[in-house]
Amino acid sequence: MAHDPLPATETAEPPRTRTPAPESPETARFRVLLAESAKAVETVLSDLLPTEGGALEAAMRYGVLQGGKRLRAFLALESAELFRVPRLQALRAAAAVECVHAYSLIHDDLPAMDDDDLRRGKPTVHRAWDEATAILAGDALQTFAFDILASDHGGIDPRIRVRLMQGLAQAAGWRGMVGGQALDIAAETAAQPLDIEATTALQALKTGALIIWSAESGAILGRSDPGPLRAYAADLGLAFQIRDDILDVEGDPETAGKRLRKDEAAGKATFVSLLGIEGARARAAELVESARGQLSAYGSAAGNLRLAAGFALDRAA
């Protein structure tokens, strides 16, 4: 059994004087929808993840089942709804992408990467156990995602399963999330901070690639064109990252459940440092409107996905 998590290390700086604007009623309503989808996918994940074993298995469960927005799972489930995909099939895709996302967070928190002690207000996996266990737990979750998709449970056509697995591998790998993380690390020692074009390209890989796969998975399961959902998710992912950058400057560490203002301290280029707070807000608003426009072909059926775009713009955490 894993030992008890270490006490949270106090690393947060005092919050800035500016108070973020309150969330809109639409975002409050969306949080209810998000919580419902989170509960559904967490039930599946709890059933799929190992319940017995040693530190590795316990760390896997800890890394995945510690809450979170579950936005990627929501996108997988809602996109599948557009094409009347059986719920069980959509839940497999949602569970798989959440495993990949959890692995990425576990590794991001390591001392060699972002060196964080807190995640969602609790000790990070390498603090609750140790670095080796955290690395292995992340590795195990990454591969487990493909195990979930490869299984014939849920009756997904084998050709569709292969397509989903290939897409997730590309979104998570060197042409997607990992490639974006590598660019982010390289930027820390670059002679000059990244400009807006390079920062946008970096975040489109680091944050956007998994969000895009999540949104298009429903169309793939439904044997339909994923193009509109890809375009929607590309805009959504950038808007989401811009909001993250804004919250890193003026957010509340207690609400965020993690240390803030790291990028500023490291001298990293962010959308806020490049555009200013108001410029970043304006750019996020443009992206949200564009994302909503990409959903026009789906009419009222995409209402919840439109709410997700608004959530990216004005969420408080």
Side-chain angles (χ1 to χ4, degrees):
M1 293 295 292
H3 57 71
D4 291 335
L6 298 175
T9 302
E10 183 62 44
T11 56
E13 297 176 18
R16 301 284 176 91
T17 55
R18 181 182 181 115
T19 302
E23 293 182 341
S24 67
E26 290 77 14
T27 292
R29 186 164 73 251
F30 176 74
R31 282 196 181 275
V32 174
L33 297 172
L34 199 60
E36 291 172 354
S37 67
K39 183 177 180 181
V41 76
E42 284 166 9
T43 297
V44 171
L45 285 166
S46 184
D47 289 342
L48 289 171
L49 287 162
T51 56
E52 298 180 357
L56 173 61
E57 291 80 4
M60 289 171 66
R61 291 185 69 87
Y62 181 89
V64 176
L65 300 175
Q66 289 296 315
K69 289 179 281 292
R70 307 291 187 196
L71 176 66
R72 292 155 189 80
F74 174 87
L75 294 173
L77 295 175
E78 283 296 323
S79 66
E81 280 288 318
L82 295 176
F83 307 101
R84 302 180 185 277
V85 172
R87 181 75 165 177
L88 183 57
Q89 295 183 7
L91 283 166
R92 302 293 289 190
V97 76
E98 286 296 332
C99 284
V100 171
H101 181 52
Y103 126 73
S104 76
L105 297 181
I106 292 170
H107 281 195
D108 277 354
D109 290 336
L110 289 166
M113 304 284 275
D114 288 347
D115 193 14
D116 275 317
D117 294 329
L118 291 177
R119 171 69 63 180
R120 297 167 184 151
K122 299 178 181 179
T124 50
V125 174
H126 72 274
R127 291 288 289 160
W129 282 270
D130 51 57
E131 289 183 42
T133 301
I135 291 169
L136 293 173
D139 291 344
L141 288 170
Q142 180 191 34
T143 53
F144 188 49
F146 295 94
D147 190 0
I148 292 170
L149 290 177
S151 170
D152 61 3
H153 189 68
I156 303 174
D157 185 290
R159 292 167 296 182
I160 298 298
R161 279 185 258 154
V162 169
R163 190 175 171 190
L164 288 170
M165 287 187 287
Q166 182 181 31
L168 184 57
Q170 292 173 347
W174 65 271
R175 286 179 286 186
M177 179 185 68
V178 171
Q181 182 66 60
L183 291 174
D184 196 28
I185 292 171
E188 293 179 5
T189 56
Q192 297 292 332
L194 300 182
D195 60 17
I196 189 65
E197 290 79 14
T199 299
T200 299
L202 183 161
Q203 296 298 349
L205 297 176
K206 183 180 175 182
T207 302
L210 278 190
I211 288 177
I212 289 172
W213 183 89
S214 302
E216 73 176 0
S217 65
I220 293 171
L221 284 166
R223 302 172 186 266
S224 299
D225 176 19
L229 287 169
R230 285 186 62 86
Y232 157 82
D235 289 335
L236 175 70
L238 279 178
F240 195 87
Q241 181 59 50
I242 292 173
R243 184 62 180 166
D244 259 2
D245 287 355
I246 292 171
L247 290 173
D248 191 60
V249 171
E250 62 178 28
D252 173 31
E254 185 173 346
T255 301
K258 61 181 180 180
R259 178 164 52 100
L260 299 181
R261 290 172 276 286
K262 297 176 299 182
D263 292 340
E264 179 184 22
K268 281 188 181 181
T270 67
F271 288 103
V272 170
S273 69
L274 292 166
L275 301 175
I277 285 284
E278 296 308 321
R281 284 199 182 94
R283 179 60 181 140
E286 291 172 0
L287 287 164
V288 165
E289 284 308 304
S290 178
R292 287 169 171 159
Q294 306 290 354
L295 299 172
S296 59
Y298 307 117
S300 61
N304 289 346
L305 292 173
R306 292 188 182 90
L307 285 176
F311 173 74
L313 184 63
D314 74 350
R315 63 192 171 89

Coordinates of all heavy atoms in Angstrom, one line a residue, residues 129-205:
W129 N 4.1 9.9 -3.2 CA 4.9 8.7 -3.2 C 6.4 9.1 -3.4 O 7.0 9.5 -2.5 CB 4.4 7.7 -4.3 CG 3.2 6.9 -3.8 CD1 3.1 5.7 -3.2 CD2 1.8 7.3 -4.0 NE1 1.8 5.4 -3.0 CE2 1.0 6.3 -3.5 CE3 1.2 8.5 -4.6 CZ2 -0.4 6.4 -3.5 CZ3 -0.2 8.5 -4.6 CH2 -1.0 7.5 -4.0
D130 N 6.9 8.9 -4.6 CA 8.2 9.3 -4.9 C 8.3 9.5 -6.4 O 7.3 9.2 -7.2 CB 9.2 8.3 -4.4 CG 8.9 6.9 -4.9 OD1 8.8 6.7 -6.1 OD2 8.8 6.0 -4.0
E131 N 9.4 10.0 -6.9 CA 9.5 10.3 -8.3 C 9.4 9.1 -9.2 O 8.8 9.1 -10.2 CB 10.9 11.0 -8.6 CG 10.9 12.5 -8.1 CD 12.2 13.2 -8.4 OE1 12.6 13.0 -9.6 OE2 12.7 13.9 -7.6
A132 N 10.1 8.0 -8.8 CA 10.1 6.8 -9.6 C 8.6 6.2 -9.7 O 8.2 5.9 -10.8 CB 11.0 5.7 -9.0
T133 N 7.9 6.2 -8.6 CA 6.5 5.7 -8.7 C 5.7 6.7 -9.6 O 4.8 6.2 -10.3 CB 5.9 5.7 -7.3 OG1 6.7 4.8 -6.5 CG2 4.5 5.1 -7.3
A134 N 5.9 8.0 -9.5 CA 5.1 8.9 -10.3 C 5.4 8.7 -11.8 O 4.5 8.7 -12.6 CB 5.5 10.3 -9.9
I135 N 6.6 8.5 -12.1 CA 7.0 8.2 -13.5 C 6.3 6.9 -14.0 O 5.7 6.9 -15.1 CB 8.5 8.1 -13.7 CG1 9.2 9.5 -13.5 CG2 8.9 7.6 -15.1 CD1 10.7 9.4 -13.4
L136 N 6.4 5.9 -13.2 CA 5.8 4.6 -13.6 C 4.3 4.7 -13.7 O 3.7 4.1 -14.6 CB 6.3 3.5 -12.7 CG 7.7 3.2 -12.7 CD1 8.1 2.2 -11.6 CD2 8.1 2.6 -14.1
A137 N 3.7 5.4 -12.8 CA 2.2 5.6 -12.8 C 1.8 6.3 -14.0 O 0.8 5.9 -14.7 CB 1.8 6.3 -11.5
G138 N 2.5 7.3 -14.4 CA 2.2 8.0 -15.7 C 2.4 7.1 -16.9 O 1.5 7.1 -17.8
D139 N 3.5 6.4 -16.9 CA 3.7 5.4 -18.0 C 2.5 4.4 -18.1 O 2.0 4.1 -19.2 CB 5.0 4.7 -17.8 CG 6.2 5.6 -18.0 OD1 6.1 6.7 -18.5 OD2 7.3 5.2 -17.5
A140 N 2.1 3.9 -17.0 CA 1.1 2.9 -16.9 C -0.3 3.5 -17.4 O -1.0 2.8 -18.1 CB 0.9 2.3 -15.5
L141 N -0.6 4.7 -17.0 CA -1.8 5.3 -17.4 C -1.8 5.6 -18.9 O -2.9 5.5 -19.6 CB -2.1 6.6 -16.6 CG -2.5 6.4 -15.2 CD1 -2.4 7.7 -14.4 CD2 -3.8 5.7 -15.1
Q142 N -0.7 6.0 -19.5 CA -0.6 6.3 -20.9 C -0.9 5.0 -21.7 O -1.7 5.0 -22.6 CB 0.8 6.8 -21.2 CG 0.9 7.1 -22.7 CD 2.4 7.4 -23.1 OE1 3.3 6.8 -22.5 NE2 2.6 8.2 -24.1
T143 N -0.3 3.9 -21.3 CA -0.5 2.7 -22.1 C -1.9 2.1 -21.8 O -2.5 1.5 -22.7 CB 0.6 1.6 -21.7 OG1 0.6 1.5 -20.3 CG2 1.9 2.1 -22.2
F144 N -2.4 2.3 -20.6 CA -3.7 1.8 -20.2 C -4.8 2.5 -21.1 O -5.8 1.9 -21.4 CB -4.0 2.1 -18.8 CG -5.3 1.4 -18.3 CD1 -5.6 0.1 -18.5 CD2 -6.2 2.1 -17.5 CE1 -6.7 -0.5 -18.1 CE2 -7.4 1.5 -17.1 CZ -7.6 0.2 -17.4
A145 N -4.6 3.7 -21.5 CA -5.6 4.4 -22.4 C -5.8 3.6 -23.7 O -6.9 3.5 -24.2 CB -5.1 5.8 -22.7
F146 N -4.7 3.1 -24.2 CA -4.8 2.3 -25.5 C -5.4 1.0 -25.2 O -6.1 0.4 -26.1 CB -3.4 2.3 -26.2 CG -3.0 3.7 -26.6 CD1 -2.2 4.4 -25.8 CD2 -3.4 4.2 -27.8 CE1 -1.8 5.7 -26.1 CE2 -3.0 5.5 -28.2 CZ -2.2 6.2 -27.4
D147 N -5.2 0.4 -24.1 CA -5.8 -0.8 -23.7 C -7.3 -0.7 -23.7 O -8.1 -1.5 -24.1 CB -5.3 -1.2 -22.3 CG -5.7 -2.7 -21.9 OD1 -6.4 -3.3 -22.7 OD2 -5.3 -3.1 -20.8
I148 N -7.8 0.5 -23.1 CA -9.2 0.8 -23.0 C -9.8 0.8 -24.4 O -10.9 0.3 -24.7 CB -9.4 2.1 -22.3 CG1 -9.1 1.9 -20.8 CG2 -10.9 2.5 -22.4 CD1 -9.1 3.2 -20.0
L149 N -9.1 1.5 -25.3 CA -9.6 1.7 -26.7 C -9.5 0.4 -27.5 O -10.4 0.1 -28.4 CB -8.9 2.8 -27.4 CG -9.1 4.2 -27.0 CD1 -8.2 5.2 -27.7 CD2 -10.6 4.6 -27.1
A150 N -8.5 -0.4 -27.2 CA -8.4 -1.7 -28.0 C -9.4 -2.7 -27.6 O -9.7 -3.6 -28.5 CB -6.9 -2.2 -27.8
S151 N -9.9 -2.7 -26.4 CA -10.8 -3.7 -26.0 C -12.1 -3.7 -26.8 O -12.6 -2.7 -27.3 CB -11.2 -3.4 -24.5 OG -12.3 -4.2 -24.1
D152 N -12.7 -4.9 -27.0 CA -13.9 -5.0 -27.8 C -15.1 -4.7 -26.9 O -16.3 -4.8 -27.4 CB -14.0 -6.4 -28.5 CG -14.0 -7.5 -27.5 OD1 -14.0 -7.3 -26.3 OD2 -14.0 -8.7 -28.0
H153 N -14.9 -4.4 -25.7 CA -16.0 -4.1 -24.8 C -16.7 -2.8 -25.3 O -16.1 -1.8 -25.5 CB -15.5 -3.8 -23.4 CG -16.6 -3.7 -22.4 ND1 -17.4 -4.8 -22.0 CD2 -17.0 -2.6 -21.6 CE1 -18.3 -4.4 -21.1 NE2 -18.1 -3.1 -20.8
G154 N -18.0 -2.9 -25.5 CA -18.7 -1.7 -26.0 C -19.1 -1.9 -27.5 O -19.9 -1.1 -28.0
G155 N -18.6 -2.9 -28.1 CA -19.0 -3.2 -29.5 C -18.5 -2.2 -30.6 O -19.2 -2.0 -31.6
I156 N -17.4 -1.5 -30.3 CA -16.9 -0.6 -31.3 C -16.2 -1.4 -32.4 O -15.4 -2.3 -32.2 CB -15.8 0.4 -30.7 CG1 -16.4 1.1 -29.5 CG2 -15.3 1.3 -31.7 CD1 -15.4 2.0 -28.7
D157 N -16.5 -1.0 -33.7 CA -16.0 -1.7 -34.8 C -14.4 -1.6 -34.7 O -13.9 -0.6 -34.4 CB -16.4 -0.9 -36.1 CG -16.0 -1.6 -37.4 OD1 -14.8 -1.6 -37.7 OD2 -16.8 -2.2 -38.1
P158 N -13.8 -2.8 -35.0 CA -12.3 -2.8 -34.9 C -11.6 -1.7 -35.7 O -10.6 -1.1 -35.3 CB -11.9 -4.2 -35.4 CG -13.1 -5.0 -35.1 CD -14.3 -4.1 -35.3
R159 N -12.1 -1.4 -36.9 CA -11.5 -0.3 -37.7 C -11.7 1.0 -37.1 O -10.8 1.9 -37.2 CB -12.2 -0.3 -39.1 CG -11.9 -1.6 -40.0 CD -12.7 -1.7 -41.2 NE -14.2 -1.8 -40.8 CZ -15.2 -2.0 -41.7 NH1 -14.9 -2.0 -43.0 NH2 -16.4 -2.2 -41.3
I160 N -12.8 1.2 -36.4 CA -12.9 2.5 -35.7 C -12.0 2.6 -34.5 O -11.4 3.6 -34.2 CB -14.4 2.7 -35.2 CG1 -15.4 2.7 -36.4 CG2 -14.6 3.9 -34.4 CD1 -15.1 3.9 -37.4
R161 N -11.8 1.4 -33.8 CA -10.9 1.4 -32.7 C -9.5 1.8 -33.1 O -8.8 2.5 -32.4 CB -10.9 0.0 -32.1 CG -12.1 -0.2 -31.1 CD -11.9 -1.6 -30.4 NE -12.8 -2.6 -31.0 CZ -12.6 -3.9 -31.1 NH1 -11.5 -4.4 -30.5 NH2 -13.4 -4.7 -31.6
V162 N -9.1 1.2 -34.3 CA -7.7 1.5 -34.8 C -7.6 3.0 -35.1 O -6.6 3.6 -34.8 CB -7.4 0.7 -36.0 CG1 -6.1 1.2 -36.7 CG2 -7.2 -0.8 -35.6
R163 N -8.6 3.5 -35.7 CA -8.6 5.0 -36.0 C -8.5 5.8 -34.8 O -7.8 6.8 -34.7 CB -9.8 5.3 -36.8 CG -9.8 6.7 -37.5 CD -11.0 6.9 -38.3 NE -11.1 8.3 -38.8 CZ -12.1 8.9 -39.4 NH1 -13.2 8.1 -39.7 NH2 -12.1 10.1 -39.7
L164 N -9.3 5.5 -33.8 CA -9.2 6.2 -32.5 C -7.9 6.1 -31.8 O -7.3 7.1 -31.4 CB -10.3 5.7 -31.5 CG -11.8 6.0 -31.9 CD1 -12.7 5.3 -30.9 CD2 -12.0 7.5 -31.7
M165 N -7.3 4.9 -31.8 CA -6.0 4.7 -31.2 C -4.9 5.5 -32.0 O -4.0 6.1 -31.3 CB -5.6 3.2 -31.2 CG -6.4 2.5 -30.1 SD -5.9 0.8 -29.9 CE -6.5 0.0 -31.4
Q166 N -4.9 5.5 -33.3 CA -3.9 6.2 -34.0 C -4.1 7.7 -33.8 O -3.1 8.4 -33.6 CB -4.1 5.9 -35.5 CG -3.0 6.6 -36.4 CD -3.2 6.4 -37.9 OE1 -4.3 6.2 -38.4 NE2 -2.1 6.4 -38.6
G167 N -5.3 8.2 -33.8 CA -5.5 9.6 -33.5 C -5.0 10.0 -32.2 O -4.4 11.1 -32.0
L168 N -5.3 9.2 -31.1 CA -4.9 9.5 -29.8 C -3.4 9.5 -29.7 O -2.8 10.3 -29.0 CB -5.5 8.6 -28.8 CG -5.3 8.9 -27.3 CD1 -5.7 10.3 -26.9 CD2 -6.0 7.9 -26.4
A169 N -2.7 8.5 -30.3 CA -1.3 8.4 -30.3 C -0.7 9.7 -30.9 O 0.3 10.2 -30.4 CB -0.8 7.2 -31.0
Q170 N -1.2 10.1 -32.0 CA -0.7 11.3 -32.6 C -0.9 12.6 -31.7 O -0.1 13.4 -31.6 CB -1.3 11.5 -34.0 CG -0.9 10.5 -35.0 CD -1.6 10.6 -36.3 OE1 -2.6 11.2 -36.4 NE2 -1.1 9.8 -37.3
A171 N -2.1 12.7 -31.1 CA -2.4 13.8 -30.3 C -1.6 13.9 -29.0 O -1.3 14.9 -28.6 CB -3.9 13.8 -29.9
A172 N -1.2 12.7 -28.5 CA -0.5 12.6 -27.3 C 1.0 12.7 -27.5 O 1.8 12.9 -26.5 CB -0.9 11.4 -26.5
G173 N 1.5 12.3 -28.7 CA 2.9 12.1 -28.9 C 3.7 13.3 -29.4 O 3.4 14.4 -29.1
W174 N 4.8 13.0 -30.1 CA 5.7 14.0 -30.5 C 5.1 15.0 -31.5 O 5.6 16.1 -31.6 CB 7.0 13.4 -31.0 CG 6.8 12.6 -32.3 CD1 6.6 11.3 -32.4 CD2 7.0 13.1 -33.6 NE1 6.5 10.9 -33.7 CE2 6.8 12.0 -34.5 CE3 7.3 14.4 -34.2 CZ2 6.8 12.1 -35.9 CZ3 7.3 14.5 -35.6 CH2 7.1 13.4 -36.4
R175 N 4.1 14.6 -32.2 CA 3.4 15.5 -33.1 C 2.2 16.3 -32.4 O 1.5 17.0 -33.0 CB 2.9 14.8 -34.3 CG 4.0 14.3 -35.2 CD 3.4 13.6 -36.4 NE 3.0 12.2 -36.1 CZ 2.6 11.3 -36.9 NH1 2.6 11.6 -38.2 NH2 2.3 10.1 -36.5
G176 N 2.1 16.0 -31.1 CA 1.0 16.7 -30.4 C 1.5 17.2 -29.0 O 2.4 18.0 -28.9
M177 N 0.9 16.6 -27.9 CA 1.1 17.1 -26.6 C 2.6 17.1 -26.2 O 3.1 18.1 -25.6 CB 0.2 16.3 -25.6 CG 0.4 16.7 -24.2 SD -0.6 15.6 -23.1 CE 0.4 14.1 -23.3
V178 N 3.2 15.9 -26.4 CA 4.6 15.8 -26.0 C 5.5 16.8 -26.8 O 6.4 17.4 -26.2 CB 5.1 14.4 -26.1 CG1 6.6 14.3 -25.9 CG2 4.4 13.5 -25.1
G179 N 5.2 16.9 -28.1 CA 6.0 17.8 -28.9 C 5.8 19.3 -28.4 O 6.8 20.0 -28.3
G180 N 4.6 19.6 -28.0 CA 4.4 21.0 -27.4 C 5.1 21.2 -26.1 O 5.7 22.3 -25.8
Q181 N 5.1 20.1 -25.3 CA 5.9 20.2 -24.0 C 7.4 20.4 -24.3 O 8.1 21.2 -23.6 CB 5.6 19.0 -23.2 CG 6.3 19.0 -21.8 CD 5.8 20.0 -20.9 OE1 4.6 20.0 -20.5 NE2 6.6 21.0 -20.4
A182 N 7.9 19.7 -25.3 CA 9.3 19.9 -25.6 C 9.6 21.3 -26.1 O 10.7 21.9 -25.7 CB 9.7 18.9 -26.7
L183 N 8.7 21.9 -26.8 CA 8.9 23.3 -27.3 C 8.9 24.2 -26.1 O 9.6 25.2 -26.0 CB 7.8 23.6 -28.3 CG 7.9 23.0 -29.7 CD1 6.6 23.4 -30.5 CD2 9.1 23.4 -30.4
D184 N 8.0 23.9 -25.1 CA 7.9 24.7 -23.9 C 9.1 24.7 -23.1 O 9.6 25.7 -22.6 CB 6.7 24.2 -23.1 CG 6.2 25.3 -22.1 OD1 6.4 26.5 -22.3 OD2 5.7 24.8 -21.0
I185 N 9.7 23.5 -23.0 CA 11.0 23.4 -22.2 C 12.1 24.1 -22.9 O 12.9 24.8 -22.3 CB 11.3 21.9 -22.0 CG1 10.3 21.2 -21.1 CG2 12.7 21.7 -21.5 CD1 10.4 19.7 -21.0
A186 N 12.2 23.9 -24.2 CA 13.2 24.6 -25.0 C 13.1 26.1 -24.9 O 14.1 26.8 -24.9 CB 13.2 24.2 -26.5
A187 N 11.9 26.6 -24.8 CA 11.7 28.1 -24.7 C 12.2 28.7 -23.4 O 12.6 29.9 -23.4 CB 10.2 28.4 -24.8
E188 N 12.4 27.8 -22.4 CA 12.9 28.3 -21.1 C 14.3 28.8 -21.2 O 14.7 29.7 -20.4 CB 12.8 27.2 -20.0 CG 11.3 26.9 -19.7 CD 11.2 25.8 -18.6 OE1 12.3 25.4 -18.1 OE2 10.1 25.3 -18.3
T189 N 15.1 28.2 -22.1 CA 16.5 28.6 -22.2 C 16.8 29.3 -23.5 O 18.0 29.5 -23.9 CB 17.4 27.4 -22.1 OG1 17.0 26.4 -23.1 CG2 17.3 26.8 -20.7
A190 N 15.8 29.7 -24.3 CA 16.0 30.4 -25.5 C 16.5 31.8 -25.3 O 16.2 32.4 -24.3 CB 14.6 30.4 -26.3
A191 N 17.3 32.3 -26.3 CA 17.8 33.6 -26.1 C 16.8 34.7 -26.1 O 16.9 35.7 -25.4 CB 18.8 33.9 -27.3
Q192 N 15.7 34.5 -26.8 CA 14.6 35.4 -26.8 C 13.2 34.7 -26.5 O 13.0 33.6 -26.9 CB 14.4 36.1 -28.2 CG 15.6 36.9 -28.6 CD 15.8 38.2 -27.7 OE1 14.8 38.7 -27.2 NE2 17.0 38.6 -27.5
P193 N 12.3 35.4 -25.8 CA 11.0 34.8 -25.5 C 10.3 34.5 -26.8 O 10.5 35.2 -27.9 CB 10.3 35.8 -24.7 CG 11.3 36.7 -24.1 CD 12.5 36.7 -25.1
L194 N 9.4 33.5 -26.9 CA 8.6 33.2 -28.1 C 7.7 34.4 -28.4 O 7.2 35.1 -27.5 CB 7.8 32.0 -27.8 CG 8.6 30.7 -27.5 CD1 7.6 29.5 -27.4 CD2 9.6 30.4 -28.6
D195 N 7.5 34.6 -29.7 CA 6.5 35.6 -30.1 C 5.1 35.0 -30.1 O 4.9 33.8 -29.8 CB 6.9 36.2 -31.5 CG 6.9 35.1 -32.6 OD1 6.4 34.0 -32.4 OD2 7.5 35.4 -33.7
I196 N 4.1 35.8 -30.5 CA 2.7 35.3 -30.4 C 2.5 34.1 -31.4 O 1.7 33.2 -31.0 CB 1.7 36.5 -30.7 CG1 0.3 36.0 -30.4 CG2 1.9 37.0 -32.2 CD1 0.0 35.8 -29.0
E197 N 3.1 34.1 -32.5 CA 2.8 33.0 -33.5 C 3.4 31.7 -32.9 O 2.8 30.6 -32.9 CB 3.5 33.3 -34.8 CG 2.8 34.4 -35.6 CD 3.1 35.8 -35.2 OE1 4.1 35.9 -34.4 OE2 2.4 36.7 -35.6
A198 N 4.6 31.8 -32.4 CA 5.3 30.6 -31.8 C 4.6 30.1 -30.6 O 4.4 28.9 -30.4 CB 6.7 30.9 -31.5
T199 N 4.1 31.0 -29.7 CA 3.4 30.6 -28.5 C 2.0 30.0 -28.9 O 1.6 29.0 -28.3 CB 3.1 31.9 -27.7 OG1 4.4 32.4 -27.3 CG2 2.3 31.5 -26.4
T200 N 1.4 30.5 -29.9 CA 0.1 29.9 -30.4 C 0.3 28.5 -30.9 O -0.4 27.6 -30.6 CB -0.5 30.8 -31.4 OG1 -0.8 32.1 -30.9 CG2 -1.8 30.1 -32.0
A201 N 1.4 28.3 -31.7 CA 1.7 27.0 -32.2 C 2.1 26.0 -31.1 O 1.6 24.8 -31.1 CB 2.9 27.1 -33.2
L202 N 2.8 26.5 -30.1 CA 3.2 25.6 -29.0 C 2.0 25.1 -28.2 O 1.8 23.9 -28.0 CB 4.1 26.4 -28.1 CG 4.8 25.7 -26.8 CD1 6.0 26.5 -26.4 CD2 3.8 25.6 -25.7
Q203 N 1.1 26.1 -27.9 CA -0.1 25.7 -27.1 C -1.1 24.9 -27.9 O -1.8 24.1 -27.3 CB -0.7 27.0 -26.5 CG 0.1 27.7 -25.6 CD 0.5 26.9 -24.3 OE1 -0.1 25.8 -24.1 NE2 1.4 27.4 -23.5
A204 N -1.1 25.1 -29.2 CA -2.0 24.2 -30.0 C -1.6 22.8 -30.0 O -2.4 21.9 -30.1 CB -1.9 24.7 -31.5
L205 N -0.3 22.5 -29.7 CA 0.2 21.1 -29.5 C 0.0 20.7 -28.1 O -0.6 19.7 -27.8 CB 1.6 21.0 -29.9 CG 2.0 21.3 -31.4 CD1 3.5 21.2 -31.6 CD2 1.3 20.3 -32.3

